[in-house]
Amino acid sequence: MLHAIGLMSGTSLDGVDVALIESDGISISSFGPTGFRPYDDEERALLRRALADAASLADRKARPGALREAEALVTEAHAEAVERFLAAYALRAREVDVVGFHGQTVIHRPERRLTVQIGDGAALARRLGIRTVHDLRAADVAAGGQGAPFVPVFHQALVRRAGLAGPVAVLNVGGVANVTWIDADAPPIACDTGPGNALIDDFMFERTGAGIDRDGAAAARGRVDPAALDRLMAHPYFAQRPPKSLDRNAFSREAVSGLATEDGAATLTAFTARSVAAIIAHLPAAPALWIVCGGGARNPTLLRMLARETGADVRTAEDFGWSAEALEAQAFAFLAVRSLAGLPLTFPTTTGVAEPLSGGVLAEP
Ligand SMILES: Nc1ncnc2c1ncn2[C@@H]1O[C@H](COP(=O)(O)OP(=O)(O)OP(=O)(O)O)[C@@H](O)[C@H]1O
Ligand SMILES: CC(=O)N[C@H]1[C@@H]2OC[C@@H](O2)[C@@H](O)[C@@H]1O[C@H](C)C(=O)O
């Protein structure tokens, strides 16, 4: 068993999640503490500029425009996050066997065999004095895979550890939503389902300056506009069979631009719920249980809409003693251990690679 720290900075641009686990990459022997290092408004603005400057990237090593400055910020923020975490829990770097460093996705175009997560893994390893596995998505995309989602193999370990009979769906609602369908020991089936919180966050940022509909309060007061929801659901992505994945900015919120803020929030929240339910038609069997993780698990309005749209039992990661917020960081700790062991990170049924494939680049301190 190794002590591994996982680091995730996701598409919501809210900050760096940190988690410590003990695992051999197959089972999880213990969950350690978790941490979070938020981005401040200035850092988030720089990351948004970097996302915009990355839209035209063709060379995954190029760092035009704000990307070089943003990569330095991402590396520094992750280093600070780990250093504060170690200090908070009186841990020493030599007690950590490996760090799994996802970095910050700035562009994801698997159809062009291009995915870029900024963050300097070699610099982070040197700064922390800990072996660091980074650039975890590159091998999958280079092999023709979707390059996402990567959490399914960890979801499967969680479901197995909880002794849950399948079929169970584990749904991560981050900026983008992704689902893992798990039944017994069959390979997990997974894909991005559609929008998670990103459209809601961006809409609320535009209308109120706060990049969140906290507790789904605005959506709860609003009314879903059926015509706008139908327009949103007409996107061809929902008819595609898995494996499939998304860039954060894959969907437009133009359909709700004419709605009042609360009705727009309600309609975008319903869009997330209905697009999640649309994946059921592409699964071997409808899950009777959905376990929601990611920040969206904190949105009761979304959870209510998910239960209505799926017709299933919708619970949260916390209901099972998991950490909704830190689960992705835990996953990248698990994936880093698997990378060191040469175990597969992705599968034909999760990203569409031809064979189970390992990945990640190891940087020694
Ligand atoms: N109390 C809350 N009420 C409503 N939404 C919330 C709440 N707390 C968090 N969120 C949502 O969760 C988001 C952060 O979730 P999370 O950290 O899972 O995203 P992420 O990991 O960056 O995304 P991704 O998994 O796509 O990379 C916030 O941007 C916000 O939209
Ligand atoms: C390219 C990329 O960073 N994709 C993210 C994004 O955020 C959620 C969803 O889209 C998922 O596909 C993925 O992250 C999670 C951690 C994953 O790979 O499982």
Side-chain angles (χ1 to χ4, degrees), residues 187-202:
I189 295 172
C191 66
D192 289 351
T193 56
N197 304 302
L199 286 176
I200 301 166
D201 289 356
D202 292 350

Side-chain angles (χ1 to χ4, degrees), residues 8-12 102-108 115-117 137 146-152 155 172-178 180 191-192 194 244-248 328 331-332 335:
M8 182 65 192
S9 176
T11 58
S12 70
H102 174 267
Q104 181 68 50
T105 296
V106 289
I107 187 170
H108 185 65
T115 189
V116 177
Q117 286 75 43
R137 300 185 189 275
Q146 286 291 315
F150 264 57
V151 292
H155 287 164
N172 168 58
V173 183
V176 170
N178 58 281
T180 306
C191 66
D192 289 351
K244 56 183 181 176
S245 67
L246 288 166
D247 181 83
R248 177 193 190 283
E328 286 184 334
F332 278 86
L335 290 162

Side-chain angles (χ1 to χ4, degrees), residues 27-46:
S27 59
I28 306 149
S29 58
S30 70
F31 294 108
T34 65
F36 180 63
R37 187 270 192 201
Y39 292 124
D40 64 30
D41 290 345
E42 190 178 331
E43 292 171 330
R44 193 173 293 118
L46 172 56

Side-chain angles (χ1 to χ4, degrees), residues 53 80 86 120 123 131 303:
D53 289 349
E80 282 175 16
L86 294 174
D120 184 337
R131 289 188 294 175
L303 297 177

Side-chain angles (χ1 to χ4, degrees), residues 4-10 14-21 31-39 76-89 91 96 98-102 124 128 130 323-333:
I5 283 179
L7 302 173
M8 182 65 192
S9 176
D14 57 342
V16 181
D17 285 301
V18 187
L20 174 69
I21 69 169
F31 294 108
T34 65
F36 180 63
R37 187 270 192 201
Y39 292 124
E76 176 61 27
H78 282 73
E80 282 175 16
V82 175
E83 288 165 347
R84 290 178 192 173
F85 178 82
L86 294 174
Y89 296 99
L91 292 167
V96 181
V98 65
V99 167
F101 177 34
H102 174 267
L124 187 67
L128 297 177
I130 305 173
S323 166
E325 285 293 281
L327 194 145
E328 286 184 334
Q330 292 168 339
F332 278 86

